[in-house]
Amino acid sequence: MADYDVDTILKGIFDTNEPDWKPADKIPLIVKEIEFLKADLKTFLDSSEYDIDSVVKESTEITKLSKALVEDMEKCKTEIEDQTMAEILKSIENHDMISKELERVNFALDIVCDVLQCGKLVKEFEEGRQAQSYSRAVEAVYDLLQYLDLPVEGFKCLDLHVNTKHTAQLILDRLLHDLFAEWGRLISWNVKPGTKKTIVTITLNFDESMMAVDVVNALEKSKHLSQKVSEFAQALLKDVLVPIINKDCTVFAETDELMTVTINHKPNFRPPYDEVIANLRLLFHYLSNKLNIEYYRDNTIMKMIGKEIHVEFSDILVKDCLIDTIPNNINDLQHYGRITSEIENFQLFLCLVKFFPREGYSILQYVKNIDVLFATKSSQHFLETARAIMLKDLSVTMSIGVESIPEEPVKKQDDGPAKEALKLLDKTIPKSLFYFPRCMISKSAQELLDLVMMMMEQAVQCSDVVCKKLYNTARLVFELYDAVVPYHHEDYLLTIPQYVALFHNNCMYLAHNLQTLGDKWLILMEGREMDYPISFIDLVQKMRDLGYKHLIIHMQHQRNQILDNIRSSDLNCIVVKDVLSENAEAAVRQCLRQLQLLKNVWIGVFPVNVFTRLMGTLVNMFAEELIHRVCTVEDISMEMATQLTEMYTLVVQKAPTLFQKPSDVETHVKSWIKLQELIFVLGGSLKDIENHWKDGKGPLAVHFRTEELRNLIKALFQNTQIRANLLSKIK
């Protein structure tokens, strides 16, 4: 039975390969198979170990019991639906009523609890006030207000809530008013300004009593302590600490509670650092004794003040006081450790009085950049010193330079490229390049140069940062000279010849030294690597141009004076006069006096060659103007010719005396011979003029243009045959 396969049997009966089959043919086969299966089933049941009949009987009884059970369940269901369900619905209704009643009770209970809590806090406030404890009273009022800000539902609708909150706010305002008054009693200050001095008084009534601590705790709980401490700290910084750092002050403890700070108003006064530190020690010692009362977990008023202003105070102290302690020379810098030790001790003191935090902060941070600060300080000092030198009187003079270039003995040189190079150098570079001619300069110019030399000597002893800064400062000194000296001495340079001469010489002397200053610097810096070039060559021509500029301006001024003298006299209107008035000769004499005055001022001040060239320029201009006055006239009377001859002869007599050597007039005055020839023409005859002409080869032909000489002859002599003959020869 277990191995019986229905599909296989059916496939055997119904052969799919049989083309035509009929159901009637297959039925007997199926019936036969069924009968076979029945016989097989019977055989199986007969041989089975189970009592089939008993099983069938038991199954029938179980079926009957099941049906009876179903009927009982149906009856139970009907009974539940008819009776129990009604009772359940009634119970649910009762539960809802009870829940709503409970909610009403809880609602009322919450309101009653809030009312009781408010009453409790009001009672605590009254107890704190009776005990004279501001902290307990403040805590109770704040708790009450906080409780009223978050009430249970319905409490806000009660008049009690509004009245209680209003009352609590009034109580708090009155309480804060009393607290602020107590704070004012504990800490107070007064500033009494005056024209000569300002007096600041600080009164601290803090002590170890519970009352003071209670006031501080109350302010802390009311969140107003930080504000009050901040106000005091800022006033302390502004009215006391900053003046102590910047002005002359006297700090004096009148009593244990009263401190007086007297600020004296002295213009341009900066107190020394040790005096500042001494005054600050007195002040902070007084503050520490009164304000270091611990009120909450190691907190003190002094700590709060320090937290508020210690950074700003330190910045001001460093910027306005301690920076000034940095020296401006290398010798003092080497002993700067003594000052830093004093500053470090002062910082430790501020930490002990709890003004500074114990760790993580130092007012000596600026020392880390000591090189930069020293460089800046030195640079500022040297520039200020240089400017002070530049403002000095230029007329305080000294002699400088050599009279003549010394002849150096010829040194024996080895044969080779070096000898040839030195020979070439001697040929191309004049010896005068390395010598400055004898003249007078202002002592201030030499002082300025000495100052730059001092900067150079100090720079080579310092670090690269300082050296570079001082090198740039040295360059700035000469640029500052260009800006300061001409501006400060402007009036003198426009009016006083000696000042112009000295200023010119100063510029030339400084320019002369600038040529080799860079090489001197490099020699001292030998062995050190630098990432920047050192040279002053580019400033040489600027300095020379500065001297040239003001000398040219003054020369133009002198020229204009000479021309104004001549043009304001009858020499300017020869053509309309037959005889010159006395003002013509007076103008010529005035010009000569002006030139003589320049000689007296300039000789010995300028180098000889410079003086000679300048005087030659002015005398030549004067002579050309005199010549021009005559050569442009169409008619000159005999009387006027005589007058002109006398005046021009006076010029010829006086002019050589204007030079250090009289012979210099012939070399440096281009119109000198022409003036003499003009005098000859004015006083000579036509025959004399013809002899000096010499058919175009005489001195008149050399110094006069043909047209000039023809016009001069026409103006001096009447139209005769002799004049015509002479004019025909002059072509």
Side-chain angles (χ1 to χ4, degrees), residues 399-465:
S399 180
I400 200 75
V402 297
E403 293 290 349
S404 60
I405 300 174
E407 292 292 335
E408 296 181 358
V410 179
K411 298 180 180 180
K412 294 183 179 181
Q413 299 287 344
D414 297 332
D415 295 335
K419 180 179 180 181
E420 295 297 326
L422 291 173
K423 286 183 178 180
L424 181 61
L425 187 65
D426 290 338
K427 292 179 180 178
T428 55
I429 299 180
K431 291 183 179 179
S432 60
L433 181 66
F434 303 102
Y435 294 94
F436 196 74
R438 174 71 66 182
C439 66
M440 302 295 291
I441 63 169
S442 303
K443 285 187 176 180
S444 60
Q446 184 61 50
E447 287 181 36
L448 193 65
L449 193 61
D450 292 342
L451 179 68
V452 174
M453 294 296 183
M454 184 189 303
M455 293 170 60
M456 179 176 67
E457 293 172 359
Q458 180 165 302
V460 299
Q461 302 178 53
C462 300
S463 65
D464 292 340
V465 173

Side-chain angles (χ1 to χ4, degrees), residues 268-547:
N268 303 321
F269 178 81
R270 183 64 65 87
Y273 82 97
D274 51 350
E275 182 178 322
V276 171
I277 290 177
N279 284 333
L280 290 175
R281 279 181 176 272
L282 288 174
L283 177 66
F284 280 108
H285 181 73
Y286 163 74
L287 295 175
S288 173
N289 286 341
K290 293 296 182 179
L291 300 180
N292 264 326
I293 300 174
E294 184 177 331
Y295 67 91
Y296 179 71
R297 294 183 182 178
D298 197 35
N299 282 339
T300 66
I301 301 296
M302 196 66 182
K303 278 187 177 180
M304 295 182 68
I305 293 174
K307 186 176 181 181
E308 176 75 18
I309 64 171
H310 82 273
V311 174
E312 188 175 358
F313 163 76
S314 300
D315 292 342
I316 296 173
L317 179 64
V318 171
K319 179 172 65 71
D320 294 346
C321 178
L322 300 185
I323 288 293
D324 293 339
T325 64
I326 296 176
N328 52 38
N329 62 81
I330 190 65
N331 293 330
D332 291 343
L333 183 64
Q334 294 172 352
H335 300 90
Y336 190 64
R338 178 182 59 84
I339 297 177
T340 58
S341 178
E342 293 181 27
I343 297 171
E344 190 173 3
N345 290 335
F346 176 61
Q347 175 177 303
L348 180 60
F349 167 76
L350 293 180
C351 291
L352 292 175
V353 300
K354 300 182 180 180
F355 182 74
F356 273 1
R358 288 193 173 274
E359 297 179 357
Y361 190 80
S362 173
I363 55 177
L364 286 171
Q365 290 290 334
Y366 75 94
V367 179
K368 292 182 178 179
N369 298 321
I370 187 67
D371 281 350
V372 176
L373 294 173
F374 173 69
T376 303
K377 187 72 176 289
S378 298
S379 175
Q380 182 181 358
H381 167 73
F382 284 123
L383 287 176
E384 290 175 354
T385 305
R387 192 177 187 279
I389 292 173
M390 295 172 194
L391 299 181
K392 289 185 177 181
D393 189 356
L394 296 180
S395 62
V396 180
T397 62
M398 61 181 291
S399 180
I400 200 75
V402 297
E403 293 290 349
S404 60
I405 300 174
E407 292 292 335
E408 296 181 358
V410 179
K411 298 180 180 180
K412 294 183 179 181
Q413 299 287 344
D414 297 332
D415 295 335
K419 180 179 180 181
E420 295 297 326
L422 291 173
K423 286 183 178 180
L424 181 61
L425 187 65
D426 290 338
K427 292 179 180 178
T428 55
I429 299 180
K431 291 183 179 179
S432 60
L433 181 66
F434 303 102
Y435 294 94
F436 196 74
R438 174 71 66 182
C439 66
M440 302 295 291
I441 63 169
S442 303
K443 285 187 176 180
S444 60
Q446 184 61 50
E447 287 181 36
L448 193 65
L449 193 61
D450 292 342
L451 179 68
V452 174
M453 294 296 183
M454 184 189 303
M455 293 170 60
M456 179 176 67
E457 293 172 359
Q458 180 165 302
V460 299
Q461 302 178 53
C462 300
S463 65
D464 292 340
V465 173
V466 181
C467 184
K468 186 174 183 179
K469 182 69 174 180
L470 291 181
Y471 162 67
N472 291 325
T473 302
R475 292 180 57 86
L476 282 175
V477 165
F478 295 103
E479 293 180 9
L480 188 66
Y481 189 87
D482 187 352
V484 171
V485 178
Y487 176 78
H488 180 73
H489 302 281
E490 181 179 11
D491 294 339
Y492 296 114
L493 292 176
L494 290 175
T495 56
I496 302 179
Q498 184 186 21
Y499 267 73
V500 178
L502 290 171
F503 180 69
H504 169 271
N505 292 350
N506 294 344
C507 293
M508 296 303 112
Y509 181 63
L510 294 176
H512 173 76
N513 283 276
L514 281 172
Q515 294 179 113
T516 56
L517 185 60
D519 294 332
K520 294 177 182 177
W521 200 305
L522 287 172
I523 291 172
L524 292 176
M525 294 288 290
E526 187 176 0
R528 292 176 59 172
E529 295 184 2
M530 295 172 291
D531 58 352
Y532 56 96
I534 292 181
S535 175
F536 295 86
I537 294 297
D538 58 310
L539 299 177
V540 172
Q541 193 57 43
K542 291 182 181 180
M543 192 61 65
R544 288 174 177 169
D545 290 343
L546 180 63

Side-chain angles (χ1 to χ4, degrees), residues 26 127 258 445 507 528:
K26 301 299 181 180
E127 291 175 351
L258 179 63
C507 293
R528 292 176 59 172

